[in-house]
Amino acid sequence: MTQDPNNYWEQLERLEKLIRASEFKAGIVFSFHGLILGFFVDNLDRLRPVYEEGPIFIVLSILWLMSALISIYFCFKCFKPQIESRYASNVFFFQDAVKSYGSQEEYVKELLQVNADENKLFQQLGEQIHAESKIIDEKFRVVQNAIKFFVLSFIFIIISALIWVAQIYMV
């Protein structure tokens, strides 16, 4: 039974879309943090009286800032590629294409040999799928953490706002 290499290429294309999706999510979370931090910095003078009323706002602000910074850390971690280097040279790994086969002619020769041997072709495509799957798994894990800490930071903002509103109406 002959395998169809298009199935492998389609799987690689799907994985590339998942990589872009995880980075898009991290970018959105990062953008929201930028907006919230910008709002906070722009209104620092207006918020000064709130902080002078009691330590609860200082504590909540520290918790908010810590959560936001942890979330931002995970956003940056999503954008940092984690390349697994424990694979044999592979004509489909971009770094190997540049460094492992010498000149352009040698690379093209190896690429043609791999494409001519169905077993080699499927093995190297399979390794590429495996490597990208590991990258995607890590990216989605860190994006999930970025979102979790974003939500936590937002909860601290909501709690602070509720306490502030309650104090206004109790006076």
Side-chain angles (χ1 to χ4, degrees):
M1 181 169 117
T2 321
Q3 293 186 40
D4 183 6
N6 285 329
N7 293 333
Y8 288 81
W9 291 113
E10 288 170 6
Q11 175 68 2
L12 284 168
E13 185 177 322
R14 187 179 76 77
L15 294 173
E16 289 298 320
K17 288 177 184 176
L18 288 172
I19 287 173
R20 285 193 297 275
S22 65
E23 291 173 350
F24 179 73
K25 288 176 186 180
I28 289 174
V29 171
F30 186 77
S31 295
F32 276 117
H33 281 303
L35 290 172
I36 294 168
L37 286 168
F39 177 78
F40 179 77
V41 170
D42 287 345
N43 292 294
L44 202 52
D45 287 338
R46 290 185 206 171
L47 295 172
R48 188 176 313 254
V50 173
Y51 290 106
E52 292 171 353
E53 289 180 21
I56 186 82
F57 291 107
I58 294 171
V59 170
L60 287 170
S61 293
I62 290 170
L63 292 172
W64 160 69
L65 192 58
M66 287 173 43
S67 300
L69 291 174
I70 291 169
S71 179
I72 290 169
Y73 164 77
F74 282 117
C75 289
F76 279 123
K77 194 170 179 183
C78 180
F79 294 117
K80 181 180 177 254
Q82 298 292 323
I83 299 173
E84 178 69 44
S85 60
R86 289 185 229 142
Y87 294 98
S89 291
N90 186 314
V91 295
F92 300 114
F93 291 159
F94 71 92
Q95 203 169 28
D96 288 347
V98 173
K99 296 179 179 176
S100 295
Y101 298 104
S103 69
Q104 175 186 354
E105 292 80 17
E106 291 171 307
Y107 170 73
V108 171
K109 181 180 174 184
E110 181 66 23
L111 180 63
L112 291 172
Q113 287 178 358
V114 166
N115 280 305
D117 183 342
E118 206 172 68
N119 286 332
K120 270 187 180 179
L121 174 64
F122 292 133
Q123 180 176 344
Q124 292 204 4
L125 286 172
E127 288 172 359
Q128 180 71 21
I129 290 169
H130 185 262
E132 286 194 28
S133 295
K134 287 175 76 171
I135 291 169
I136 292 165
D137 182 58
E138 176 67 11
K139 283 182 178 283
F140 272 92
R141 187 184 64 75
V142 297
V143 165
Q144 186 178 33
N145 285 332
I147 292 170
K148 181 177 19 174
F149 281 100
F150 172 74
V151 169
L152 185 61
S153 72
F154 197 71
I155 288 170
F156 289 129
I157 291 172
I158 298 298
I159 292 171
S160 297
L162 290 174
I163 292 172
W164 179 64
V165 169
Q167 285 181 347
I168 288 174
Y169 288 109
M170 294 182 128
V171 173

